[in-house]
Amino acid sequence: MMFWYGHGMSGWGYVFMATATIVFWGLVIAAVVVLARYLTRAPRTSADTGPERILAERFARGEIDEQEYRSRLTTLRGGPRSAEQS
């Protein structure tokens, strides 16, 4: 009888199998978390990023008045420039 000779899995085979199982389930869980975070994030508007956000923050802090805020916002959005800025 050659019960444990030849085709049986050795100790290293069990270690590899356990490690591969842990890595597999870790990747599955990470993919589910990333997908859930992607699907539940709030949509971003153009005012959420960049110069418009900075301009809005300055206006909220009182660093600039409403006229200057609207003028700069129009300029950022590519609107016509007023005669004051020429």
Side-chain angles (χ1 to χ4, degrees):
M1 266 206 261
M2 297 174 23
F3 220 71
W4 292 100
Y5 183 75
H7 300 294
M9 189 168 20
S10 68
W12 288 110
Y14 287 112
V15 170
F16 174 73
M17 183 175 60
T19 304
T21 302
I22 292 170
V23 168
F24 171 77
W25 284 112
L27 289 173
V28 168
I29 291 170
V32 168
V33 168
V34 167
L35 181 64
R37 289 185 64 156
Y38 176 76
L39 293 175
T40 60
R41 70 182 177 156
R44 299 182 76 166
T45 62
S46 62
D48 288 344
T49 59
E52 288 184 15
R53 179 183 56 82
I54 295 170
L55 186 62
E57 288 175 0
R58 289 185 63 199
F59 178 62
R61 286 192 300 259
E63 294 177 11
I64 57 176
D65 62 358
E66 184 177 358
Q67 181 183 1
E68 186 175 358
Y69 171 73
R70 295 204 182 277
S71 170
R72 290 179 184 233
L73 188 61
T74 302
T75 303
L76 283 174
R77 291 183 176 168
R81 300 182 75 161
S82 66
E84 299 175 350
Q85 296 176 347
S86 300

